[in-house]
Amino acid sequence: MKSILLIGMGKFGQTLGEKLLNIGDEVMIVDKNEEKINRLASKYTEAVIANCMNEENLKKLDIPSFDVCVVAIGEDFQSSLEITSLLKDLGAKWVVSKATTEIQRKFLLKNGADEVVYPDRDLAEKLAVTLNSTKFFDYIELNDEYSICEIAVPTHWAGKTIVDVNPRKKYGMNILTIKKGDIVVANMDANYVFESGDHMLVFGNTEKILKFTNK
């Protein structure tokens, strides 16, 4: 469980806040819009109506006490930039800021953000990848080259073991686990026998995995 300061309760902020609550984090939300805060306050650990462009308002929140501070403001980049910088000046341990363009990402990183999320770009990239294969279900990009991907097990692998197929040598993929619907096969070894309908979580070069699924 982490303590999170979430500034900006637009659509992105609300979605993120709900996910954090579901995980079990303690979340304080802040927004200058009184109506939003009054509507959402009952769900959260604490809710504050404040303009975070004001340094004194931020000081009252005890910024160093939070594990992570999130600046989820997308429509007003100047505010996002200044709040990011103020948070770092006030001793924030880790600042995550939202960007809508690559230029914004660069400015935020230069002005105190430890991490920048770029939801529109990330969604577009993810959609582009998944659209390119009916056998590609999800992925987590680790860097520009490597990802963890959920892909369908080829039908001709059914009845064969991991040793038989040898995906690491033949395709450059490391199988991390197998999914059967919502069930994850936790205790899997090299003698696991593939079944029709299995999904596998694999680690490897994203481009190579895409080529494999498009065969």
Side-chain angles (χ1 to χ4, degrees):
M1 182 180 72
K2 290 189 174 184
S3 58
I4 312 289
L5 174 63
L6 179 53
I7 300 173
M9 295 307 293
K11 187 175 180 180
F12 174 74
Q14 290 182 44
T15 302
L16 176 61
E18 288 176 9
K19 293 294 184 183
L20 293 170
L21 289 176
N22 290 339
I23 291 169
D25 291 327
E26 293 182 347
V27 184
M28 177 192 282
I29 60 170
V30 186
D31 199 289
K32 62 183 179 182
N33 186 307
E34 184 176 355
E35 186 275 328
K36 278 184 184 178
I37 292 296
N38 289 337
R39 176 166 49 84
L40 298 168
S42 61
K43 298 180 181 180
Y44 291 90
T45 310
E46 196 170 348
V48 177
I49 302 164
N51 182 350
C52 292
M53 292 274 283
N54 185 313
E55 186 173 355
E56 293 305 312
N57 288 341
L58 282 179
K59 284 180 179 178
K60 293 174 185 177
L61 302 179
D62 189 18
I63 300 303
S65 67
F66 294 95
D67 295 313
V68 181
C69 296
V70 180
V71 184
I73 301 169
E75 67 281 358
D76 184 351
F77 177 63
Q78 186 61 35
S79 294
S80 180
L81 193 64
E82 292 189 28
I83 292 168
T84 297
S85 182
L86 283 171
L87 287 170
K88 212 61 184 176
D89 289 344
L90 293 172
K93 295 172 185 173
W94 191 263
V95 179
V96 180
S97 300
K98 179 189 174 189
T100 56
T101 67
E102 182 63 21
I103 255 224
Q104 287 183 5
R105 188 186 73 84
K106 291 178 180 178
F107 273 112
L108 287 165
L109 288 170
K110 286 181 179 179
N111 283 271
D114 297 290
E115 182 178 350
V116 176
V117 292
Y118 197 164
D120 293 338
R121 183 199 64 179
D122 294 344
L123 180 60
E125 289 183 351
K126 192 168 188 176
L127 182 60
V129 169
T130 55
L131 285 175
N132 269 279
S133 176
T134 57
K135 301 174 184 177
F136 206 112
F137 295 93
D138 202 0
Y139 86 112
I140 300 170
E141 185 181 38
L142 302 178
N143 61 22
D144 291 340
E145 290 186 69
Y146 293 95
S147 299
I148 295 173
C149 309
E150 179 183 344
I151 61 177
V153 170
T155 54
H156 64 277
W157 286 13
K160 298 179 180 179
T161 67
I162 294 175
V163 170
D164 293 333
V165 175
N166 201 355
R168 181 185 296 176
K169 183 177 181 180
K170 291 182 180 177
Y171 309 107
M173 300 187 305
N174 292 288
I175 298 179
L176 304 178
T177 192
I178 298 292
K179 286 181 66 179
K180 297 177 178 293
D182 294 330
I183 299 172
V184 175
V185 180
N187 299 314
M188 186 193 72
D189 59 26
N191 293 312
Y192 174 82
V193 178
F194 293 110
E195 295 181 1
S196 179
D198 280 356
H199 287 189
M200 54 185 175
L201 267 66
V202 300
F203 165 75
N205 179 277
T206 309
E207 191 174 312
K208 287 182 179 179
I209 296 172
L210 268 174
K211 286 180 180 178
F212 169 80
T213 60
N214 281 328
K215 284 184 178 180

